[in-house]
């Protein structure tokens, strides 16, 4: 039971206040330049967004990184459920068979390239109970409402009473694969649930560095199967794949697209999965969505440098030896690796760096959005590759917006427009995906004017150039030639 008194700031609020206080001169400068229209950002951003993005940039771009365990712990604090939402927490049961893990490992092996040819054996994750939060909109609540003292099952049934549609979003939160939690993303997923009239299954997947690649992939696949084929004793009924849309932001966008690739590869291998005593098909979802997906795990494309002034993400130094976090109980990893999420030999595996995937053929419709952010090049290149492979793509680029702006500056008109486009796509995918038409648009700042983008000009980079930039980021060498079997 909380002892926090109404009107008195919490420890988290006090920590935030102390973190922001040193930025007071910066805040004053941003406000002054904005009011006088002397900053470039003032042409595109409202004042509140300009201040938030500037402060975030200053807080994240530090001379020395903080310890991994310290930063991770800060993002895993649960403030409790408050406001107009239902949350019912559940955990998937562990199947008696190993079939779902075997299928994942076969997919990883089937998609491996020359970079993994002489790699050490990949660690095999355990199948564990995967927690998730069923989240829905609670219309009759107020902004100060808390959840009633009832069981999780009763909360779920109350949530279901308010669902207007069977639409189910299988959601993966962002956080660079080592930060955040469904709790940090409740405000966002609540809005997704409200605007779709459906519900969100927000997954608490395992985080790195404790549980690196491919643990999160296994948790994602288990969560999908838990929706499709509820284990005995589940509180929910089976969800049709026609009512499921994958979703995620940043690293969660990577995971959303990676889960799609896993499903595609399992289907290419013509496999079924033994799950609680039955052989189960692996169907495609109705659609897939990704907001600012982090698909280039090694930060190799030029927008990581070029778009720094529009984004709050720090420069691309994830793999630099001189910018490694101080040692603690989580990092460096054992055995040692450069990347916090993935072993060295697998950094360019197409289930890690999704922009290097060989094919997206047979995918359901995909929605992708980004801003003028550090990840813009990789997101636009991925959208282009999807289009080249015949996938129905709805792509939106928001002028002057930073990374994952819909969650960071939710009050601005661009964020509201993004959520509107995002949820309209979800509803269309669940109602009749054949009616979705590919579109590629720039959404102008403030006015929200929509300008068509020529899909053939979405990216200036060829596949060879992208692969070489990724390899050069890691080793300074160009990509090895693919291992092509001779045709008889």
């Amino acid at each position: 039971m909380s002892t926090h008194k109404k009107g008195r700031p919490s420890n988290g609020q006090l920590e935030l206040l102390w973190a922001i206080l040193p930025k007071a001169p910066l805040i004053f400068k941003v406000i002054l330049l904005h009011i006088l229209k002397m900053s470039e950002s003032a042409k595109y951003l409202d004042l509140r967004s300009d201040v938030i993005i500037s402060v975030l940039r200053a807080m994240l771009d530090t001379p020395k990184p903080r310890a991994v365990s310290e930063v991770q712990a800060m993002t895993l604090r649960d403030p409790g459920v408050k406001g107009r939402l239902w949350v019912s927490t559940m955990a998937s049961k562990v199947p008696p068979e190993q079939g779902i893990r075997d299928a994942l490992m076969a997919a990883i092996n089937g998609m491996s390239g020359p970079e993994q040819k002489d790699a050490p054996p990949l660690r095999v994750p355990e199948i564990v109970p995967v927690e998730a939060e069923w989240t829905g909109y609670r219309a009759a609540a107020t902004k100060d409402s808390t959840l009633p003292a009832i069981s999780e099952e009763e909360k779920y049934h109350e949530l279901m009473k308010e669902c207007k549609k069977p639409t189910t979003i299988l959601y993966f939160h962002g956080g660079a694969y080592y930060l955040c939690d469904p709790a940090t993303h409740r405000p966002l997923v609540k809005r997704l649930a409200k605007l779709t009239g459906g519900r969100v299954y927000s997954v608490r997947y395992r985080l790195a560095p404790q549980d690196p690649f491919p643990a999160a992939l296994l948790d994602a696949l288990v969560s999908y199967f838990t929706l499709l084929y509820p284990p005995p004793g589940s509180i929910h009924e089976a969800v049709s794949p026609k009512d499921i849309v994958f979703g995620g932001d940043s690293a969660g966008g990577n995971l959303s697209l990676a889960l799609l690739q896993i499903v595609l590869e399992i289907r290419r291998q013509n496999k079924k999965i033994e799950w609680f005593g039955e052989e189960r098909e692996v169907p495609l979802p109705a659609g897939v969505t990704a907001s600012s997906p982090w698909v280039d795990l090694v930060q190799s494309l030029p927008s990581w440098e070029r778009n720094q002034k529009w984004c709050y993400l720090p420069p691309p130094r994830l793999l630099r030896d001189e910018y490694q976090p101080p040692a603690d109980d989580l990092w460096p990893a054992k055995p040692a690796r450069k990347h916090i999420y993935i072993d060295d030999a697998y950094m360019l595996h197409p289930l890690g760096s999704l922009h290097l995937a060989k094919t997206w053929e047979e995918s359901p419709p995909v929605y992708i959005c980004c801003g003028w952010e550090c990840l813009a090049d990789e997101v636009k290149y991925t959208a282009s590759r999807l289009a080249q492979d015949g996938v129905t793509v709805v792509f939106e680029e928001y002028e002057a917006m930073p990374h994952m702006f819909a969650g960071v500056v939710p009050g601005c008109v661009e964020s509201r427009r993004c959520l509107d486009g995002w949820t309209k796509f979800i509803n269309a995918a669940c109602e009749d995906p054949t009616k979705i038409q590919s579109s590629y648009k720039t959404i102008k700042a403030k006015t929200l004017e929509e300008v068509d983008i020529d899909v053939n000009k979405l990216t200036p980079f060829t596949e060879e150039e992208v692969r070489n930039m990724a390899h050069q980021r890691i080793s300074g060498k160009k990509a090895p030639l693919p291992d092509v079997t001779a045709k008889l």
Side-chain angles (χ1 to χ4, degrees):
M1 182 176 178
S2 175
T3 59
H4 175 63
K5 295 183 179 179
K6 187 175 181 180
R8 184 177 296 176
S10 66
N11 289 337
Q13 289 171 326
L14 287 172
E15 285 184 15
L16 180 60
L17 178 62
W18 284 116
I20 291 177
L21 272 178
K23 311 301 178 188
L26 169 66
I27 294 171
F28 177 77
K29 177 182 177 182
V30 172
I31 291 173
L32 183 62
L33 292 176
H34 191 101
I35 292 172
L36 298 176
K37 301 186 185 304
M38 295 177 64
S39 63
E40 190 174 4
S41 57
K43 301 175 186 177
Y44 301 95
L45 304 176
D46 61 74
L47 177 58
R48 179 182 176 85
S49 299
D50 203 356
V51 170
I52 290 173
I53 294 164
S54 298
V55 170
L56 267 176
R57 183 186 300 119
M59 292 175 68
L60 294 175
D61 189 11
T62 57
K64 291 184 178 180
R66 299 169 76 170
V68 170
S69 58
E70 179 186 356
V71 179
Q72 187 183 81
M74 287 175 60
T75 69
L76 297 183
R77 293 174 184 166
D78 188 343
V81 179
K82 189 176 180 180
R84 297 182 177 92
L85 75 165
W86 287 106
V87 172
S88 172
T89 303
M90 68 154 290
S92 64
K93 292 181 171 62
V94 176
E97 312 89 354
Q98 301 297 314
I100 196 159
R101 185 177 67 182
D102 294 342
L104 170 65
M105 300 310 293
I108 293 171
N109 291 333
M111 297 175 69
S112 292
E115 298 88 353
Q116 291 81 47
K117 188 175 181 181
D118 298 317
L122 182 65
R123 69 194 75 209
V124 179
E126 292 295 320
I127 307 175
V128 300
V130 183
E131 274 197 10
E133 293 187 351
W134 279 111
T135 308
Y137 187 64
R138 188 180 173 195
T142 69
K143 63 185 179 72
D144 295 318
S145 293
T146 57
L147 291 176
I150 57 178
S151 69
E152 297 300 319
E153 184 172 358
E154 288 172 307
K155 291 173 191 173
Y156 173 76
H157 291 304
E158 291 298 320
L159 178 157
M160 289 301 297
K161 290 177 184 177
E162 300 204 43
C163 283
K164 300 172 183 176
K165 299 176 182 177
T167 301
T168 303
I169 305 166
L170 176 57
Y171 198 83
F172 307 106
H173 66 82
Y177 274 116
Y178 78 103
L179 303 172
C180 298
D181 180 83
T184 58
H185 284 60
R186 285 175 192 148
L188 174 62
V189 300
K190 177 195 73 174
R191 293 195 294 273
L192 293 175
K194 178 184 178 182
L195 291 171
T196 58
R199 56 191 177 163
V200 181
Y201 192 74
S202 185
V203 180
R204 187 167 280 116
Y205 57 87
R206 283 173 282 182
L207 299 177
Q210 304 95 310
D211 292 291
F213 177 94
L217 302 187
L218 180 56
D219 292 351
L221 186 58
V222 165
S223 298
Y224 185 38
F225 259 55
T226 297
L227 291 180
L228 294 168
Y229 312 111
S234 296
I235 62 175
H236 68 281
E237 296 180 352
V239 185
S240 168
K242 295 180 180 179
D243 292 324
I244 298 175
V245 172
F246 300 165
D249 63 274
S250 193
N254 176 300
L255 189 49
S256 176
L257 292 166
L259 179 56
L260 170 59
Q261 276 289 342
I262 291 165
V263 170
L264 290 170
E265 178 64 17
I266 293 173
R267 290 168 64 86
R268 284 191 287 263
Q269 295 180 8
N270 198 28
K271 289 182 180 289
K272 293 182 180 180
I273 293 177
E274 192 173 358
W275 175 259
F276 288 94
E278 294 192 47
E279 291 284 321
R280 297 294 194 177
E281 299 280 352
V282 185
L284 290 167
V288 176
T289 66
S291 176
S292 296
W294 181 32
V295 291
D296 175 13
L297 290 184
V298 298
Q299 304 175 317
S300 63
L301 293 178
S303 60
W304 271 97
E305 299 280 2
R306 186 184 68 245
N307 287 356
Q308 281 286 313
K309 66 179 179 179
W310 300 110
C311 202
Y312 55 81
L313 293 178
R317 52 197 178 202
L318 186 65
L319 302 179
R320 293 180 185 173
D321 292 336
E322 67 272 18
Y323 199 79
Q324 289 300 304
D328 62 4
D329 55 338
L330 297 183
W331 192 258
K334 297 177 183 178
R337 60 178 187 271
K338 294 179 180 178
H339 201 289
I340 200 162
Y341 167 60
I342 194 166
D343 288 345
D344 294 356
Y346 286 83
M347 285 191 285
L348 301 186
H349 190 282
L351 287 176
S353 290
L354 271 297
H355 66 314
L356 302 180
K358 294 177 182 177
T359 179
W360 295 94
E361 291 179 2
E362 307 301 326
S363 294
V366 176
Y367 170 89
I368 302 184
C369 66
C370 68
W372 282 1
E373 58 182 278
C374 294
L375 284 68
D377 282 347
E378 64 202 71
V379 175
K380 293 162 79 172
Y381 176 79
T382 302
S384 175
R385 285 299 312 274
L386 283 158
Q388 290 172 27
D389 286 342
V391 180
T392 299
V393 179
V394 176
F395 171 78
E396 295 179 339
E397 180 182 34
Y398 286 78
E399 196 175 56
M401 287 291 104
H403 181 63
M404 195 37 210
F405 57 94
V408 173
V409 284
C412 70
V413 294
E414 295 85 358
S415 293
R416 291 196 291 271
R417 167 60 182 79
C418 177
L419 284 168
D420 182 61
W422 190 351
T423 53
K424 281 182 177 176
F425 173 91
I426 291 171
N427 281 333
C430 291
E431 289 165 9
D432 187 353
T434 63
K435 291 184 178 180
I436 299 175
Q437 294 185 342
S438 290
S439 64
Y440 310 86
K441 295 182 182 296
T442 292
I443 312 299
K444 293 286 188 176
K446 297 184 178 179
T447 66
L448 304 183
E449 177 190 357
E450 299 181 8
V451 180
D452 288 333
I453 303 172
D454 182 348
V455 64
N456 296 313
K457 298 179 180 178
L458 198 56
T459 178
F461 307 115
T462 65
E463 182 178 354
E464 182 180 5
E465 288 170 337
V466 167
R467 293 194 66 84
N468 282 335
M469 281 187 279
H471 278 270
Q472 287 170 349
R473 173 69 73 181
I474 294 173
S475 64
K477 300 177 182 178
K478 290 186 177 182
L481 293 174
D483 186 13
V484 180
T485 305
K487 293 183 179 180
L488 299 178

